[in-house]
Amino acid sequence: MSTPRVLVVQLSDMDPPARLADWLVEAGAVVEVTREDALPADASTHDALVVLGGPMGANDTAEHPWILDLRRLMADAVTKRVPMLAICLGAQILATALGGQVEVGDEGPEVGRGLTAKRDAGWADPLVADLPLMQDVVHFHHDVITRLPAGAELLLSATRYPHQAFRVGTCAYATQFHVETTPEVFRGWLELDPEGARWARPVDTTDEGIAELHADLEQVWKPFVQRFTRLAAGELAPVAKNLL
């Protein structure tokens, strides 16, 4: 079995790779973590790219000029067909890098447990096909993707904000929700953003509820990350159709 090298871009101390890194390593990957100020110029230096979340906005390029560099890196990954997983802010930056649109959610933040549903394209996707029809996810975001990039395939959706997971090209994936969090990380977000925390269900602010949520998430999203690792290793074929 080959050993893929996965570069994880951590954009904030608040959102470490946490159990996502553990799942990647358990699946056979070598994980390297870099920060937003130390981005490679070429996405093909690694077998796969993961971009995490953070409290800044995808359009905040004046305050965070590195977002422009990250857009270029993520677009390069799509062009060169480097498997990529972009999470929350990472997903929003990917969308803006390819012509999509990100705005403040007009129905308020999504915080805590959510439910997404598989769209038609998901049934034929190598990472999403094995997911159940409905999946529990964990949210913590104020901004949303209001327009997908041209040619993107919507894989998972929800009623309030439809663009929950999508793929661009053959192997670049984006999720508006989080798969990397631990109960400790999520609890920290609730404490740091009390305004956002008010949008969570009461059960998702209790230690018991947060622990139960993350146990449920692991059953679905750890196998998803394992499939992503196989994609990075070349053991799982990407979709045949190149949409770009």
Side-chain angles (χ1 to χ4, degrees):
M1 180 180 294
S2 59
T3 303
R5 294 174 60 234
V6 179
L7 181 66
V8 176
V9 182
Q10 181 179 344
L11 305 180
S12 168
D13 291 337
M14 294 168 54
D15 190 11
R19 65 179 183 172
L20 174 60
D22 295 337
W23 293 346
L24 289 166
V25 171
E26 288 177 25
V30 172
V31 174
E32 301 175 30
V33 179
T34 192
R35 294 301 298 259
E36 70 281 0
D37 57 353
L39 299 173
D42 187 338
S44 62
T45 57
H46 291 76
D47 299 304
L49 178 67
V50 174
V51 182
L52 299 175
M56 61 287 294
N59 298 312
D60 295 343
T61 56
E63 300 88 342
H64 306 284
W66 53 261
I67 292 175
L68 298 175
D69 295 326
L70 184 54
R71 286 179 183 174
R72 286 190 285 269
L73 178 66
M74 298 177 83
D76 186 51
V78 174
T79 299
K80 295 177 178 175
R81 301 185 185 183
V82 176
M84 176 166 51
L85 177 59
I87 295 172
C88 200
L89 174 61
Q92 295 168 359
I93 292 175
L94 176 61
T96 59
L98 301 177
Q101 185 170 321
V102 173
E103 301 173 284
V104 176
D106 59 7
E107 295 187 39
E110 284 186 305
V111 177
R113 185 186 297 264
L115 193 64
T116 65
K118 192 155 49 172
R119 297 294 295 262
D120 289 347
W123 294 102
D125 183 86
L127 297 193
V128 174
D130 287 342
L131 293 178
L133 173 61
M134 308 288 285
Q135 313 84 29
D136 283 325
V137 299
V138 61
H139 288 288
F140 210 117
H141 62 97
H142 295 256
D143 292 351
V144 299
I145 300 165
T146 54
R147 186 180 70 240
L148 292 179
E153 286 274 16
L154 184 61
L155 303 173
L156 302 176
S157 190
T159 302
R160 190 161 138 214
Y161 296 122
H163 301 143
Q164 293 292 332
F166 64 92
R167 186 192 67 244
V168 287
T170 60
C171 54
Y173 291 83
T175 67
Q176 181 59 85
F177 48 86
H178 294 272
V179 302
E180 78 283 11
T181 60
T182 62
E184 294 75 21
V185 168
F186 185 75
R187 169 61 76 181
W189 294 351
L190 292 173
E191 294 171 354
L192 288 168
D193 184 2
E195 178 184 350
R198 287 197 290 269
W199 289 81
R201 296 188 307 170
V203 67
D204 289 340
T205 65
T206 67
D207 290 339
E208 182 179 358
I210 294 171
E212 179 184 4
L213 169 60
H214 282 79
D216 291 343
L217 296 174
E218 182 170 358
Q219 295 181 31
V220 173
W221 297 106
K222 182 175 181 179
F224 174 88
V225 172
Q226 292 170 337
R227 291 191 291 274
F228 178 76
T229 307
R230 291 179 57 212
L231 182 68
E235 298 165 5
L236 183 65
V239 292
K241 183 178 180 181
N242 183 7
L243 298 175
L244 294 184

